[in-house]
Amino acid sequence: MAEGNRKAGRKAPDGGADEADMAEGWRHGLAEGLTKYESMVEAIAHGIQTGELKPGARLPPQRVLARQFGVTVATVTKAIEHASRRGLIVTRTGSGTFVRNKSDADAPEHGDFVDLSLNTSPTIIAASVLQHSLRALATSGEPQKLFGHSPIQGALRNRRAGAAWFALRGLAISPDQVLITQGAHEGLLCTLLALASPGDSVLCERLNYVGLKRIAKLLQLRLIPVEVDHEGLDTTALTRFRRDKSVKAVICTPVTHNPTTANLSRARRAALLRFAREAAIPVIEDDVYGMLAGADAPPLASEWPEGVVIISSLSKSVSPGIRVGYIAAPAPLVSRIRDAMFTLGWTEPSTQAAIASQLIHSGDAFQSTLLHRTEASRRVEIAARALGPRMVTSASTISYHVWVSTGSMPPDTAASDLARMGVLVSTSTQFLVGDGPPDNALRISLGAVPSLYELTPALDAVARVLSTRKPQHSA
């Protein structure tokens, strides 16, 4: 015991903790299923999150890290390079490697805008995994996959990849039921074009993805807003539309609703599907956040495959630049949606689809998703600490956006105050369908900011702006 105490209290020459002990203290954060250097990066991130690695602390020399992690010095060098890109650490020539401080020279300058309005994922998180698949695809010697013409619904190999992607969500879907689009937005557009005509009505959450309103305007559809709360779509409001023949579909986001992050409760899932069956209308399920949420949030399509059109993509859980979406439709609807797709083009996005297929079939897409789940969880926890009871979203949610109450403050006022401080956010007004009153809430996006050291002060700014108002959960 005495020897252990002496070792724990040993100091480095500069007065800091012993370098070997520092490495030993946070190396338990190694992530399973990653390469060695990726595991080291995750260990550094974990150490910063838990406070074991303080801002400004110097990391041990590379030889010490190599010994503690059981890797080569070359692996340590690669890990330090990637941790630096993620904004976790800084390397100073002649001095060593340090946990980044807000005062570091490469931190964002005062007055720069920090964008918490763009709902995206940080590309750096899975960059090395994506590069691995791109290199494999580039050397495959099959240019037809990348640059050739394919039918509008997608080449069979790419539709098989789409089926495999849905299989990760627990769905057994034939490739014949899969159609490939340029992102989930186009998937929504084509599906609505196939199912509804100008003047028809579509039921949807009162707060919704901004792009849906633009699609409805383009197609001259009437969106009928239905209340949404912490249990998701309020299904009690649906009964009055059971015999309304103008209603052609219900569109909803059951998992990690945008913007509120609500998940449709078990009781409401059953009520929604019961209504759709009785009304003989399909459900369009926007499942773009489903892969990020994981197995605890199954899709509606798993309960009623005969009546649910499910739409997914890789943008929220792999990388925003991969503009590939997948539609899985009941067999009787496939040809209708395929015909609608000809309105937008004559071929699938072959190059993007080939990249997505490589990622999926190699397992790199799922590996990227695991990395994003870890990062999104970390960022939500940071947001919860900064925002406290103002954050409506549960701290256990896996998401790159959170829903935040502004209390009695109008959301536009809060957004204006934050813009003057250099922080951009989205207000509930932007997501509102119809003419009802907006919720006093903001959507705070956590993924567009590449570094946690930019995210934390931005969230602190949000907390300061809202600190004079009493929290009031409105969704």
Side-chain angles (χ1 to χ4, degrees):
M1 178 70 72
E3 175 62 27
N5 289 337
R6 285 196 297 272
K7 180 178 180 180
R10 197 168 60 208
K11 299 292 182 181
D14 63 357
D18 177 78
E19 292 168 338
D21 290 344
M22 176 181 282
E24 185 69 32
W26 49 270
R27 78 177 189 132
H28 59 74
L30 285 170
E32 296 182 0
L34 303 179
T35 63
K36 292 180 180 179
Y37 81 85
E38 289 169 340
S39 294
M40 286 192 66
V41 174
E42 288 303 312
I44 293 170
H46 179 81
I48 293 171
Q49 181 186 4
T50 60
E52 294 174 89
L53 291 177
K54 307 288 186 186
R58 186 172 67 188
L59 266 64
Q62 293 191 14
R63 58 178 174 75
V64 176
L65 289 173
R67 184 173 68 250
Q68 292 290 346
F69 282 92
V71 298
T72 65
V73 172
T75 297
V76 175
T77 301
K78 191 172 183 179
I80 288 175
E81 176 188 349
H82 281 262
S84 179
R85 288 182 186 175
R86 279 181 60 176
L88 300 172
I89 59 177
V90 291
T91 300
R92 300 175 188 145
T93 304
S95 299
T97 302
F98 298 81
V99 177
R100 181 181 284 191
N101 262 321
K102 295 179 184 178
S103 59
D104 286 324
D106 56 346
E109 297 180 2
H110 179 71
D112 287 350
F113 280 102
V114 178
D115 193 350
L116 304 185
S117 66
L118 181 63
N119 194 17
T120 186
S121 56
T123 55
I124 191 62
I125 300 303
S128 61
V129 180
L130 301 177
Q131 289 168 349
H132 174 267
S133 266
L134 284 176
R135 284 192 293 267
L137 185 61
T139 57
S140 66
E142 298 182 72
Q144 179 65 23
K145 290 183 179 180
L146 280 167
F147 310 116
H149 179 279
S150 297
I152 187 68
Q153 71 270 25
L156 178 58
R157 60 180 175 274
N158 295 328
R159 287 185 282 115
R160 283 174 174 160
W165 183 247
F166 284 119
L168 293 173
R169 294 286 288 129
L171 299 173
I173 294 173
S174 166
D176 293 338
Q177 294 175 251
V178 175
L179 303 107
I180 297 174
T181 61
Q182 297 190 64
H185 180 92
E186 184 176 290
L188 291 172
L189 194 160
C190 292
T191 301
L192 285 170
L193 180 60
L195 299 181
S197 301
D200 285 339
S201 300
V202 175
L203 301 173
C204 67
E205 295 104 337
R206 173 177 173 267
L207 296 167
N208 221 301
Y209 164 58
V210 174
L212 179 61
K213 294 191 289 185
R214 296 181 177 178
I215 291 172
K217 183 177 180 180
L218 175 67
L219 301 182
Q220 300 178 53
L221 302 178
R222 179 187 174 215
L223 293 179
I224 300 179
V226 179
E227 192 59 61
V228 59
D229 59 21
H230 66 283
E231 291 188 66
L233 185 76
D234 182 4
T235 52
T236 60
L238 297 178
T239 54
R240 63 191 177 96
F241 298 103
R242 186 174 289 118
R243 293 180 175 82
D244 188 339
K245 297 304 180 183
S246 72
V247 175
K248 301 302 181 182
V250 181
I251 182 168
C252 65
T253 306
V255 177
T256 318
H257 174 254
N258 180 22
T260 70
T261 67
N263 288 317
L264 196 62
S265 68
R266 182 179 298 274
R268 291 191 181 179
R269 290 166 68 95
L272 171 58
L273 296 181
R274 185 167 57 250
F275 162 79
R277 286 188 178 101
E278 292 174 356
I281 58 174
V283 174
I284 303 172
E285 179 175 17
D286 184 348
D287 194 53
V288 292
Y289 301 102
M291 278 296 295
L292 197 61
D296 291 337
L300 282 175
S302 63
E303 300 177 44
W304 191 33
E306 302 85 2
V308 177
V309 178
I310 183 170
I311 298 170
S312 183
S313 77
L314 278 64
S315 65
K316 302 300 182 183
S317 57
V318 179
S319 179
I322 303 175
R323 304 309 304 162
V324 173
Y326 299 108
I327 303 172
L333 297 180
V334 171
S335 61
R336 289 171 61 182
I337 298 174
R338 184 188 62 234
D339 290 347
M341 292 171 65
F342 282 109
T343 306
L344 301 177
W346 291 95
T347 182
E348 74 165 336
S350 301
T351 304
Q352 290 269 19
I355 294 171
S357 295
Q358 173 66 29
L359 286 164
I360 293 169
H361 288 314
S362 67
D364 285 343
F366 184 63
Q367 188 63 53
S368 298
T369 297
L370 295 179
L371 291 170
H372 280 296
R373 286 177 186 170
T374 299
E375 183 70 12
S377 295
R378 179 182 296 120
R379 295 190 180 212
V380 170
E381 290 173 2
I382 290 171
R385 287 197 296 270
L387 302 172
R390 298 172 189 85
M391 193 172 92
V392 180
T393 299
S394 168
S396 63
T397 300
I398 303 175
S399 171
Y400 278 121
H401 68 277
V402 295
W403 192 235
V404 179
S405 170
T406 61
S408 59
M409 179 186 291
D412 290 342
T413 300
S416 296
D417 289 350
L418 284 166
R420 285 191 289 271
M421 298 173 67
V423 178
L424 303 179
V425 297
S426 299
T427 69
S428 61
T429 311
Q430 297 170 254
F431 306 99
L432 188 62
V433 176
D435 300 323
D439 292 43
N440 282 3
L442 305 172
R443 188 194 70 184
I444 307 295
S445 298
L446 310 175
V449 179
S451 165
L452 298 179
Y453 288 91
E454 294 174 69
L455 178 62
T456 300
L459 291 171
D460 289 341
V462 175
R464 286 197 301 274
V465 165
L466 302 179
S467 62
T468 59
R469 309 283 178 155
K470 183 179 179 181
Q472 176 181 314
H473 291 184
S474 54

